[in-house]
Amino acid sequence: MCRLAEAEFKADATATAAARKWLAEMLEHWDLGTLVDTAVLLTSEIVTNAVQHVGSPPRVTAAVAEGNLEVG
């Protein structure tokens, strides 16, 4: 089964925390709680860099297929 979710966040200091919370909730909903710690850590880095260096609203996509998680 393939699952896909996407969210856009404000390009400000709240973006990282909001993205972490969104992703953690999505993974828990998908019964992938064992991936939360690593996934939200890496997502924090991506979102922080996007806000600092690009300045546009970061969009996070999470996809699960064949047992693999992809976040971008």
Side-chain angles (χ1 to χ4, degrees), residues 35-57:
L35 302 178
V36 169
D37 290 342
T38 301
V40 297
L41 174 64
L42 298 173
T43 299
S44 302
E45 296 297 319
I46 294 168
V47 172
T48 299
N49 286 341
V51 170
Q52 287 181 347
H53 300 293
V54 180
S56 62

